[in-house]
Amino acid sequence: MANGKKIAKRIFKGFLYFMGFLALLLAGLFIYLYIVARMPPPEVADKGALAWQRRALDSTAFTLGNNWFRKSRSGLYEMYVEGKPFERGVVYGKLAAELVQRQEDHFTEQIGKMVPSKSYQHFLKYLIGWFNRHMDENVPEEYKEEIYGVSFAASDKYGYIGSNYQRIMNYHAAHDIGHALQNLALVGCTSFGTWNGRSADSSLIIGRNFDFYVGDKFAEDKIVAFYRPEKGHPFMMITWGGFTGVVSGMNTEGLTVTINAARSDIPSGSATPVSLVAREILQYAKNIEEAYAIAQRRKMFVSESFLVGSAKDNRAAIIEKTPEQLALYDPKGDEISCANHFQSNSLGASASNQAQLAESASPYRYKRLQQLLERNGKNTVAKTVAILRDQKGLNDADIGMGNEKALNQLIAHHSVVFAPQELKVWVSTAPWQLGEFVAYDLHKIFAMKGLPADREVCDSAAIIPADTFLQTDNYRKFVDFRRWKAAFMDKQPVNVEQMVADNPQYYHAYVMAGDYLYRQKQYARAKTYYQQALAKEIATKAEKDHVLERMAACDKKQ
């Protein structure tokens, strides 16, 4: 008996030693993560710009020297900044301070919905910090200084996540991290171009949908930004508060850049964020050859397609880039299309790209784009907008409102059309790409010398009207459907019959109805909805697999 007590005491003592060792190990790990995750800001000799103050023209328009910021009647925000890197970053932050802070509120709110556990959020903070520990080493000094300048406008209430500079820098890689670690369906973009015989006037036309969705609030405050940097070419881009990278833009040389995500393997660490590679191309390239050279210099940690349109070349090409390889896809014709898969001989044959073709909505959407381009004949700006708004499937099939296989998935952050030779751009207004497309003439914008009084700066005569779909019963039903979807995501009560009736051709309506009833343990009813989902056009293999697995589970549980 005494020996048993001694053995038990020894085991308990060993357990305490083990737990103590584990606690020390975890503490050491978090200290290590904290140290390596720290991202010191760049050294800036002259910070005099921090004393500058904006001047209000009215409640939504401000100036600071030649720089200005205003809210258009269209609902779009418009901003012009110029100068040295740190100074233009500070100016950006001062002019758009409210949007910088509001955008971070929206972003963190959405992250909270996606990752509700506070402890897991805390863990992710260190994990992302470790993952991005070398990111600033791969970012040009110019952009570090600019981001540092913007960071002074960020809110202090998120200090528990990291310093202002560290947070704003990391947000530039948010797309890359989510895309790389989970291949999240946050980005399913489409872009295309026509020129010579495929354009009505033979000029280059580029269209793109940026289907990046991080909650409705994230897309509320879009900024059409006009940059005149100290070095490089003046350019415009569509962006959001605090973000200085490029996802869609055109410079005054008539060069355009848009990005489309491709399937990526899980990387071991960060490099240059995709948006900052696109920014460097837009700022410093005047043709496709120079754009390719810049992409070649930069190391990225996810796979991406850069559709580059060039007025000087009067054509477009796609730079396909992975962490290891680079390829240039040139269709050798008068048009080009880009979804979310590679097309070059080298990268198109890769295992990850073949999986993308087999499992994603990308090839279907690409084929639909080809159909529309062929049907429409010689392209125009108006026809480009019509293509970007198309909601149908192949052969005009009704695949439901919001299907990822459609060009218009009704989630777009923005849609844009470029006419590079004319230096004109059309930017969509809410909701998604259904509102007016507002026109801007870069010749006129960059000829302005400040903004003495608040006034519209768009080309009002060239505005493209809103989609007539907004006046239909189907649009009202889709708005109602989205309310049911939000309730489902928040685990609130849902009227599944009404949700399905609002969008009867959309497979996901049936999937959500099935999942909702599955939660309620109504397995027979759930299976009925899953069966109906299989009869619709399901976007991805993963979603089809989910339906089949749930149907099998329903059979076991009944």
Side-chain angles (χ1 to χ4, degrees), residues 394-437:
L394 288 173
N395 303 316
D396 296 327
D398 186 349
I399 58 176
M401 296 177 285
N403 197 315
E404 191 183 341
K405 286 187 169 180
L407 292 173
N408 179 4
Q409 303 166 40
L410 296 171
I411 61 168
H413 178 275
H414 66 262
S415 185
V416 61
V417 179
F418 299 107
Q421 272 97 348
E422 297 180 81
L423 290 186
K424 288 185 178 179
V425 56
W426 288 260
V427 182
S428 66
T429 60
W432 315 298
Q433 59 271 72
L434 302 179
E436 292 181 337
F437 272 65

mmCIF file of all heavy atoms in Angstrom, residues 394-437:
data_model
loop_
_atom_site.group_PDB
_atom_site.id
_atom_site.type_symbol
_atom_site.label_atom_id
_atom_site.label_comp_id
_atom_site.label_asym_id
_atom_site.label_seq_id
_atom_site.Cartn_x
_atom_site.Cartn_y
_atom_site.Cartn_z
ATOM 1 N N LEU A 394 -23.979 29.246 -68.729
ATOM 2 C CA LEU A 394 -23.734 28.878 -70.117
ATOM 3 C C LEU A 394 -25.036 28.749 -70.886
ATOM 4 O O LEU A 394 -26.042 28.240 -70.360
ATOM 5 C CB LEU A 394 -22.963 27.553 -70.162
ATOM 6 C CG LEU A 394 -21.492 27.613 -69.723
ATOM 7 C CD1 LEU A 394 -20.907 26.211 -69.642
ATOM 8 C CD2 LEU A 394 -20.675 28.472 -70.691
ATOM 9 N N ASN A 395 -25.029 29.220 -72.108
ATOM 10 C CA ASN A 395 -26.206 29.189 -72.984
ATOM 11 C C ASN A 395 -27.399 29.901 -72.350
ATOM 12 O O ASN A 395 -28.551 29.519 -72.559
ATOM 13 C CB ASN A 395 -26.574 27.743 -73.336
ATOM 14 C CG ASN A 395 -25.417 27.003 -73.990
ATOM 15 O OD1 ASN A 395 -24.746 27.540 -74.868
ATOM 16 N ND2 ASN A 395 -25.161 25.788 -73.544
ATOM 17 N N ASP A 396 -27.108 30.933 -71.559
ATOM 18 C CA ASP A 396 -28.126 31.774 -70.916
ATOM 19 C C ASP A 396 -28.959 31.023 -69.877
ATOM 20 O O ASP A 396 -30.083 31.427 -69.555
ATOM 21 C CB ASP A 396 -29.067 32.407 -71.947
ATOM 22 C CG ASP A 396 -28.330 33.360 -72.875
ATOM 23 O OD1 ASP A 396 -27.369 33.993 -72.427
ATOM 24 O OD2 ASP A 396 -28.707 33.450 -74.054
ATOM 25 N N ALA A 397 -28.415 29.957 -69.328
ATOM 26 C CA ALA A 397 -29.137 29.188 -68.305
ATOM 27 C C ALA A 397 -29.340 30.033 -67.057
ATOM 28 O O ALA A 397 -28.476 30.834 -66.681
ATOM 29 C CB ALA A 397 -28.356 27.925 -67.951
ATOM 30 N N ASP A 398 -30.484 29.851 -66.412
ATOM 31 C CA ASP A 398 -30.756 30.516 -65.141
ATOM 32 C C ASP A 398 -30.122 29.679 -64.037
ATOM 33 O O ASP A 398 -30.612 28.588 -63.710
ATOM 34 C CB ASP A 398 -32.270 30.638 -64.922
ATOM 35 C CG ASP A 398 -32.614 31.454 -63.675
ATOM 36 O OD1 ASP A 398 -31.697 31.739 -62.876
ATOM 37 O OD2 ASP A 398 -33.809 31.789 -63.491
ATOM 38 N N ILE A 399 -29.020 30.158 -63.490
ATOM 39 C CA ILE A 399 -28.301 29.400 -62.456
ATOM 40 C C ILE A 399 -28.461 30.046 -61.080
ATOM 41 O O ILE A 399 -27.719 29.735 -60.143
ATOM 42 C CB ILE A 399 -26.806 29.248 -62.810
ATOM 43 C CG1 ILE A 399 -26.138 30.614 -62.993
ATOM 44 C CG2 ILE A 399 -26.636 28.401 -64.054
ATOM 45 C CD1 ILE A 399 -24.634 30.548 -63.241
ATOM 46 N N GLY A 400 -29.462 30.939 -60.965
ATOM 47 C CA GLY A 400 -29.714 31.573 -59.682
ATOM 48 C C GLY A 400 -28.936 32.866 -59.519
ATOM 49 O O GLY A 400 -27.889 33.071 -60.140
ATOM 50 N N MET A 401 -29.459 33.740 -58.693
ATOM 51 C CA MET A 401 -28.809 35.039 -58.445
ATOM 52 C C MET A 401 -27.718 34.884 -57.389
ATOM 53 O O MET A 401 -27.982 34.440 -56.274
ATOM 54 C CB MET A 401 -29.864 36.049 -57.989
ATOM 55 C CG MET A 401 -30.920 36.349 -59.024
ATOM 56 S SD MET A 401 -32.214 37.482 -58.437
ATOM 57 C CE MET A 401 -33.175 36.420 -57.362
ATOM 58 N N GLY A 402 -26.495 35.240 -57.770
ATOM 59 C CA GLY A 402 -25.374 35.165 -56.836
ATOM 60 C C GLY A 402 -24.480 33.962 -57.020
ATOM 61 O O GLY A 402 -23.564 33.740 -56.229
ATOM 62 N N ASN A 403 -24.696 33.193 -58.077
ATOM 63 C CA ASN A 403 -23.893 31.990 -58.315
ATOM 64 C C ASN A 403 -22.464 32.372 -58.692
ATOM 65 O O ASN A 403 -22.243 33.248 -59.535
ATOM 66 C CB ASN A 403 -24.526 31.158 -59.429
ATOM 67 C CG ASN A 403 -24.006 29.728 -59.456
ATOM 68 O OD1 ASN A 403 -22.821 29.481 -59.344
ATOM 69 N ND2 ASN A 403 -24.929 28.783 -59.612
ATOM 70 N N GLU A 404 -21.493 31.699 -58.103
ATOM 71 C CA GLU A 404 -20.082 31.985 -58.369
ATOM 72 C C GLU A 404 -19.693 31.658 -59.804
ATOM 73 O O GLU A 404 -18.669 32.128 -60.302
ATOM 74 C CB GLU A 404 -19.199 31.188 -57.397
ATOM 75 C CG GLU A 404 -17.742 31.599 -57.392
ATOM 76 C CD GLU A 404 -16.881 30.757 -56.475
ATOM 77 O OE1 GLU A 404 -17.439 30.094 -55.576
ATOM 78 O OE2 GLU A 404 -15.649 30.759 -56.662
ATOM 79 N N LYS A 405 -20.501 30.866 -60.483
ATOM 80 C CA LYS A 405 -20.212 30.533 -61.870
ATOM 81 C C LYS A 405 -20.607 31.663 -62.829
ATOM 82 O O LYS A 405 -20.250 31.628 -64.003
ATOM 83 C CB LYS A 405 -20.913 29.239 -62.269
ATOM 84 C CG LYS A 405 -20.252 27.988 -61.677
ATOM 85 C CD LYS A 405 -20.859 26.711 -62.218
ATOM 86 C CE LYS A 405 -20.011 25.506 -61.828
ATOM 87 N NZ LYS A 405 -20.567 24.234 -62.333
ATOM 88 N N ALA A 406 -21.359 32.628 -62.343
ATOM 89 C CA ALA A 406 -21.762 33.761 -63.179
ATOM 90 C C ALA A 406 -20.679 34.837 -63.165
ATOM 91 O O ALA A 406 -19.920 34.961 -62.199
ATOM 92 C CB ALA A 406 -23.075 34.341 -62.673
ATOM 93 N N LEU A 407 -20.610 35.625 -64.231
ATOM 94 C CA LEU A 407 -19.672 36.753 -64.241
ATOM 95 C C LEU A 407 -20.048 37.764 -63.171
ATOM 96 O O LEU A 407 -19.190 38.324 -62.490
ATOM 97 C CB LEU A 407 -19.683 37.418 -65.619
ATOM 98 C CG LEU A 407 -19.109 36.588 -66.766
ATOM 99 C CD1 LEU A 407 -19.340 37.280 -68.092
ATOM 100 C CD2 LEU A 407 -17.631 36.342 -66.554
ATOM 101 N N ASN A 408 -21.340 38.020 -63.032
ATOM 102 C CA ASN A 408 -21.836 38.925 -61.996
ATOM 103 C C ASN A 408 -22.373 38.085 -60.844
ATOM 104 O O ASN A 408 -23.474 37.555 -60.898
ATOM 105 C CB ASN A 408 -22.934 39.821 -62.569
ATOM 106 C CG ASN A 408 -23.520 40.765 -61.533
ATOM 107 O OD1 ASN A 408 -23.064 40.816 -60.393
ATOM 108 N ND2 ASN A 408 -24.532 41.508 -61.923
ATOM 109 N N GLN A 409 -21.580 37.971 -59.784
ATOM 110 C CA GLN A 409 -21.938 37.146 -58.633
ATOM 111 C C GLN A 409 -22.678 37.946 -57.562
ATOM 112 O O GLN A 409 -22.979 37.426 -56.489
ATOM 113 C CB GLN A 409 -20.667 36.534 -58.031
ATOM 114 C CG GLN A 409 -19.865 35.725 -59.017
ATOM 115 C CD GLN A 409 -18.476 35.404 -58.528
ATOM 116 O OE1 GLN A 409 -18.266 35.092 -57.363
ATOM 117 N NE2 GLN A 409 -17.498 35.471 -59.423
ATOM 118 N N LEU A 410 -22.950 39.208 -57.871
ATOM 119 C CA LEU A 410 -23.665 40.093 -56.939
ATOM 120 C C LEU A 410 -22.957 40.192 -55.583
ATOM 121 O O LEU A 410 -23.590 40.199 -54.530
ATOM 122 C CB LEU A 410 -25.121 39.630 -56.779
ATOM 123 C CG LEU A 410 -25.956 39.726 -58.065
ATOM 124 C CD1 LEU A 410 -27.310 39.038 -57.876
ATOM 125 C CD2 LEU A 410 -26.161 41.178 -58.484
ATOM 126 N N ILE A 411 -21.625 40.243 -55.635
ATOM 127 C CA ILE A 411 -20.833 40.482 -54.428
ATOM 128 C C ILE A 411 -19.693 41.470 -54.695
ATOM 129 O O ILE A 411 -18.901 41.753 -53.800
ATOM 130 C CB ILE A 411 -20.216 39.182 -53.847
ATOM 131 C CG1 ILE A 411 -19.277 38.542 -54.886
ATOM 132 C CG2 ILE A 411 -21.279 38.213 -53.375
ATOM 133 C CD1 ILE A 411 -18.407 37.427 -54.313
ATOM 134 N N ALA A 412 -19.571 41.979 -55.916
ATOM 135 C CA ALA A 412 -18.381 42.732 -56.320
ATOM 136 C C ALA A 412 -18.108 43.926 -55.413
ATOM 137 O O ALA A 412 -19.005 44.705 -55.107
ATOM 138 C CB ALA A 412 -18.524 43.214 -57.760
ATOM 139 N N HIS A 413 -16.856 44.060 -55.010
ATOM 140 C CA HIS A 413 -16.432 45.281 -54.329
ATOM 141 C C HIS A 413 -16.488 46.440 -55.318
ATOM 142 O O HIS A 413 -16.982 47.522 -54.997
ATOM 143 C CB HIS A 413 -15.012 45.132 -53.783
ATOM 144 C CG HIS A 413 -14.494 46.364 -53.102
ATOM 145 N ND1 HIS A 413 -13.894 47.401 -53.795
ATOM 146 C CD2 HIS A 413 -14.515 46.745 -51.802
ATOM 147 C CE1 HIS A 413 -13.559 48.356 -52.940
ATOM 148 N NE2 HIS A 413 -13.917 47.980 -51.726
ATOM 149 N N HIS A 414 -16.004 46.174 -56.526
ATOM 150 C CA HIS A 414 -16.131 47.167 -57.602
ATOM 151 C C HIS A 414 -15.997 46.485 -58.948
ATOM 152 O O HIS A 414 -15.486 45.370 -59.070
ATOM 153 C CB HIS A 414 -15.098 48.289 -57.466
ATOM 154 C CG HIS A 414 -13.679 47.835 -57.649
ATOM 155 N ND1 HIS A 414 -12.849 47.557 -56.574
ATOM 156 C CD2 HIS A 414 -12.922 47.609 -58.753
ATOM 157 C CE1 HIS A 414 -11.663 47.189 -57.012
ATOM 158 N NE2 HIS A 414 -11.677 47.207 -58.343
ATOM 159 N N SER A 415 -16.466 47.177 -59.954
ATOM 160 C CA SER A 415 -16.319 46.775 -61.344
ATOM 161 C C SER A 415 -15.768 47.990 -62.073
ATOM 162 O O SER A 415 -16.096 49.129 -61.717
ATOM 163 C CB SER A 415 -17.683 46.363 -61.902
ATOM 164 O OG SER A 415 -17.573 45.856 -63.211
ATOM 165 N N VAL A 416 -14.920 47.760 -63.074
ATOM 166 C CA VAL A 416 -14.265 48.896 -63.707
ATOM 167 C C VAL A 416 -13.994 48.605 -65.176
ATOM 168 O O VAL A 416 -13.762 47.448 -65.562
ATOM 169 C CB VAL A 416 -12.950 49.256 -62.967
ATOM 170 C CG1 VAL A 416 -11.973 48.105 -62.987
ATOM 171 C CG2 VAL A 416 -12.301 50.503 -63.548
ATOM 172 N N VAL A 417 -14.045 49.647 -66.001
ATOM 173 C CA VAL A 417 -13.715 49.547 -67.426
ATOM 174 C C VAL A 417 -12.672 50.619 -67.739
ATOM 175 O O VAL A 417 -12.829 51.782 -67.355
ATOM 176 C CB VAL A 417 -14.956 49.751 -68.316
ATOM 177 C CG1 VAL A 417 -14.574 49.667 -69.789
ATOM 178 C CG2 VAL A 417 -16.032 48.723 -67.989
ATOM 179 N N PHE A 418 -11.608 50.208 -68.449
ATOM 180 C CA PHE A 418 -10.542 51.135 -68.835
ATOM 181 C C PHE A 418 -10.511 51.311 -70.357
ATOM 182 O O PHE A 418 -10.662 50.336 -71.098
ATOM 183 C CB PHE A 418 -9.171 50.601 -68.408
ATOM 184 C CG PHE A 418 -8.999 50.402 -66.934
ATOM 185 C CD1 PHE A 418 -8.971 49.125 -66.393
ATOM 186 C CD2 PHE A 418 -8.843 51.488 -66.079
ATOM 187 C CE1 PHE A 418 -8.793 48.928 -65.027
ATOM 188 C CE2 PHE A 418 -8.663 51.307 -64.720
ATOM 189 C CZ PHE A 418 -8.642 50.020 -64.194
ATOM 190 N N ALA A 419 -10.307 52.544 -70.796
ATOM 191 C CA ALA A 419 -10.009 52.847 -72.199
ATOM 192 C C ALA A 419 -8.624 53.490 -72.213
ATOM 193 O O ALA A 419 -8.493 54.721 -72.140
ATOM 194 C CB ALA A 419 -11.053 53.783 -72.792
ATOM 195 N N PRO A 420 -7.544 52.698 -72.247
ATOM 196 C CA PRO A 420 -6.180 53.202 -72.023
ATOM 197 C C PRO A 420 -5.717 54.266 -73.004
ATOM 198 O O PRO A 420 -5.019 55.204 -72.601
ATOM 199 C CB PRO A 420 -5.319 51.936 -72.127
ATOM 200 C CG PRO A 420 -6.248 50.826 -71.736
ATOM 201 C CD PRO A 420 -7.570 51.218 -72.316
ATOM 202 N N GLN A 421 -6.059 54.129 -74.294
ATOM 203 C CA GLN A 421 -5.605 55.141 -75.246
ATOM 204 C C GLN A 421 -6.190 56.518 -74.952
ATOM 205 O O GLN A 421 -5.540 57.540 -75.147
ATOM 206 C CB GLN A 421 -5.964 54.734 -76.683
ATOM 207 C CG GLN A 421 -4.897 53.869 -77.353
ATOM 208 C CD GLN A 421 -5.239 52.390 -77.265
ATOM 209 O OE1 GLN A 421 -6.139 52.010 -76.526
ATOM 210 N NE2 GLN A 421 -4.530 51.564 -78.010
ATOM 211 N N GLU A 422 -7.425 56.547 -74.457
ATOM 212 C CA GLU A 422 -8.093 57.811 -74.130
ATOM 213 C C GLU A 422 -7.811 58.264 -72.701
ATOM 214 O O GLU A 422 -8.179 59.376 -72.317
ATOM 215 C CB GLU A 422 -9.601 57.670 -74.303
ATOM 216 C CG GLU A 422 -10.063 57.363 -75.707
ATOM 217 C CD GLU A 422 -11.571 57.232 -75.765
ATOM 218 O OE1 GLU A 422 -12.263 58.269 -75.827
ATOM 219 O OE2 GLU A 422 -12.061 56.084 -75.729
ATOM 220 N N LEU A 423 -7.190 57.396 -71.903
ATOM 221 C CA LEU A 423 -6.980 57.632 -70.470
ATOM 222 C C LEU A 423 -8.310 57.909 -69.764
ATOM 223 O O LEU A 423 -8.416 58.803 -68.913
ATOM 224 C CB LEU A 423 -5.998 58.786 -70.225
ATOM 225 C CG LEU A 423 -4.537 58.510 -70.593
ATOM 226 C CD1 LEU A 423 -3.662 59.684 -70.171
ATOM 227 C CD2 LEU A 423 -4.026 57.220 -69.951
ATOM 228 N N LYS A 424 -9.314 57.102 -70.103
ATOM 229 C CA LYS A 424 -10.619 57.202 -69.454
ATOM 230 C C LYS A 424 -10.931 55.917 -68.699
ATOM 231 O O LYS A 424 -10.510 54.830 -69.106
ATOM 232 C CB LYS A 424 -11.710 57.491 -70.485
ATOM 233 C CG LYS A 424 -11.662 58.908 -71.040
ATOM 234 C CD LYS A 424 -12.846 59.188 -71.962
ATOM 235 C CE LYS A 424 -12.809 60.637 -72.461
ATOM 236 N NZ LYS A 424 -13.944 60.932 -73.375
ATOM 237 N N VAL A 425 -11.677 56.065 -67.608
ATOM 238 C CA VAL A 425 -12.026 54.919 -66.777
ATOM 239 C C VAL A 425 -13.453 55.087 -66.286
ATOM 240 O O VAL A 425 -13.903 56.204 -66.013
ATOM 241 C CB VAL A 425 -11.034 54.781 -65.598
ATOM 242 C CG1 VAL A 425 -10.963 56.054 -64.773
ATOM 243 C CG2 VAL A 425 -11.409 53.610 -64.696
ATOM 244 N N TRP A 426 -14.165 53.968 -66.198
ATOM 245 C CA TRP A 426 -15.534 53.957 -65.679
ATOM 246 C C TRP A 426 -15.566 53.063 -64.448
ATOM 247 O O TRP A 426 -15.167 51.901 -64.514
ATOM 248 C CB TRP A 426 -16.512 53.424 -66.728
ATOM 249 C CG TRP A 426 -16.783 54.354 -67.866
ATOM 250 C CD1 TRP A 426 -17.862 55.164 -68.038
ATOM 251 C CD2 TRP A 426 -15.951 54.563 -69.018
ATOM 252 N NE1 TRP A 426 -17.764 55.871 -69.208
ATOM 253 C CE2 TRP A 426 -16.594 55.524 -69.832
ATOM 254 C CE3 TRP A 426 -14.720 54.047 -69.439
ATOM 255 C CZ2 TRP A 426 -16.063 55.962 -71.035
ATOM 256 C CZ3 TRP A 426 -14.179 54.483 -70.639
ATOM 257 C CH2 TRP A 426 -14.840 55.430 -71.427
ATOM 258 N N VAL A 427 -16.057 53.582 -63.318
ATOM 259 C CA VAL A 427 -16.065 52.858 -62.043
ATOM 260 C C VAL A 427 -17.506 52.646 -61.593
ATOM 261 O O VAL A 427 -18.313 53.583 -61.597
ATOM 262 C CB VAL A 427 -15.287 53.638 -60.957
ATOM 263 C CG1 VAL A 427 -15.270 52.850 -59.648
ATOM 264 C CG2 VAL A 427 -13.869 53.934 -61.430
ATOM 265 N N SER A 428 -17.828 51.432 -61.171
ATOM 266 C CA SER A 428 -19.194 51.108 -60.771
ATOM 267 C C SER A 428 -19.568 51.763 -59.449
ATOM 268 O O SER A 428 -18.713 52.061 -58.610
ATOM 269 C CB SER A 428 -19.355 49.589 -60.627
ATOM 270 O OG SER A 428 -18.559 49.103 -59.549
ATOM 271 N N THR A 429 -20.845 51.994 -59.273
ATOM 272 C CA THR A 429 -21.380 52.487 -58.005
ATOM 273 C C THR A 429 -22.345 51.451 -57.441
ATOM 274 O O THR A 429 -22.836 50.579 -58.164
ATOM 275 C CB THR A 429 -22.108 53.836 -58.186
ATOM 276 O OG1 THR A 429 -23.201 53.659 -59.100
ATOM 277 C CG2 THR A 429 -21.165 54.895 -58.716
ATOM 278 N N ALA A 430 -22.628 51.560 -56.165
ATOM 279 C CA ALA A 430 -23.448 50.570 -55.463
ATOM 280 C C ALA A 430 -24.866 50.520 -56.033
ATOM 281 O O ALA A 430 -25.364 51.528 -56.565
ATOM 282 C CB ALA A 430 -23.483 50.913 -53.971
ATOM 283 N N PRO A 431 -25.494 49.330 -55.898
ATOM 284 C CA PRO A 431 -24.959 48.102 -55.319
ATOM 285 C C PRO A 431 -24.142 47.297 -56.330
ATOM 286 O O PRO A 431 -24.548 47.147 -57.475
ATOM 287 C CB PRO A 431 -26.224 47.331 -54.906
ATOM 288 C CG PRO A 431 -27.262 47.754 -55.897
ATOM 289 C CD PRO A 431 -26.944 49.206 -56.218
ATOM 290 N N TRP A 432 -22.973 46.812 -55.871
ATOM 291 C CA TRP A 432 -22.079 46.007 -56.701
ATOM 292 C C TRP A 432 -21.795 46.686 -58.042
ATOM 293 O O TRP A 432 -21.402 47.835 -58.051
ATOM 294 C CB TRP A 432 -22.656 44.582 -56.848
ATOM 295 C CG TRP A 432 -23.132 44.061 -55.538
ATOM 296 C CD1 TRP A 432 -22.363 43.840 -54.409
ATOM 297 C CD2 TRP A 432 -24.491 43.801 -55.151
ATOM 298 N NE1 TRP A 432 -23.158 43.435 -53.374
ATOM 299 C CE2 TRP A 432 -24.462 43.389 -53.787
ATOM 300 C CE3 TRP A 432 -25.723 43.835 -55.813
ATOM 301 C CZ2 TRP A 432 -25.612 43.040 -53.089
ATOM 302 C CZ3 TRP A 432 -26.865 43.481 -55.122
ATOM 303 C CH2 TRP A 432 -26.810 43.090 -53.767
ATOM 304 N N GLN A 433 -22.022 46.006 -59.180
ATOM 305 C CA GLN A 433 -21.820 46.649 -60.476
ATOM 306 C C GLN A 433 -23.151 47.018 -61.123
ATOM 307 O O GLN A 433 -23.228 47.224 -62.346
ATOM 308 C CB GLN A 433 -21.002 45.755 -61.420
ATOM 309 C CG GLN A 433 -21.594 44.377 -61.718
ATOM 310 C CD GLN A 433 -21.147 43.339 -60.721
ATOM 311 O OE1 GLN A 433 -21.568 43.354 -59.584
ATOM 312 N NE2 GLN A 433 -20.296 42.421 -61.154
ATOM 313 N N LEU A 434 -24.189 47.164 -60.309
ATOM 314 C CA LEU A 434 -25.520 47.453 -60.838
ATOM 315 C C LEU A 434 -25.817 48.945 -60.941
ATOM 316 O O LEU A 434 -26.661 49.364 -61.731
ATOM 317 C CB LEU A 434 -26.603 46.784 -59.971
ATOM 318 C CG LEU A 434 -26.499 45.265 -59.812
ATOM 319 C CD1 LEU A 434 -27.614 44.760 -58.906
ATOM 320 C CD2 LEU A 434 -26.561 44.574 -61.169
ATOM 321 N N GLY A 435 -25.156 49.761 -60.125
ATOM 322 C CA GLY A 435 -25.384 51.202 -60.172
ATOM 323 C C GLY A 435 -24.716 51.827 -61.395
ATOM 324 O O GLY A 435 -24.179 51.136 -62.264
ATOM 325 N N GLU A 436 -24.776 53.144 -61.465
ATOM 326 C CA GLU A 436 -24.125 53.851 -62.574
ATOM 327 C C GLU A 436 -22.628 53.536 -62.625
ATOM 328 O O GLU A 436 -22.004 53.298 -61.590
ATOM 329 C CB GLU A 436 -24.290 55.361 -62.416
ATOM 330 C CG GLU A 436 -25.690 55.882 -62.570
ATOM 331 C CD GLU A 436 -25.764 57.393 -62.415
ATOM 332 O OE1 GLU A 436 -24.859 57.978 -61.767
ATOM 333 O OE2 GLU A 436 -26.709 57.987 -62.937
ATOM 334 N N PHE A 437 -22.065 53.566 -63.830
ATOM 335 C CA PHE A 437 -20.613 53.537 -63.988
ATOM 336 C C PHE A 437 -20.167 54.982 -64.211
ATOM 337 O O PHE A 437 -20.497 55.591 -65.238
ATOM 338 C CB PHE A 437 -20.202 52.658 -65.174
ATOM 339 C CG PHE A 437 -20.021 51.207 -64.824
ATOM 340 C CD1 PHE A 437 -21.095 50.433 -64.402
ATOM 341 C CD2 PHE A 437 -18.769 50.610 -64.911
ATOM 342 C CE1 PHE A 437 -20.937 49.100 -64.082
ATOM 343 C CE2 PHE A 437 -18.595 49.262 -64.589
ATOM 344 C CZ PHE A 437 -19.688 48.502 -64.169
#
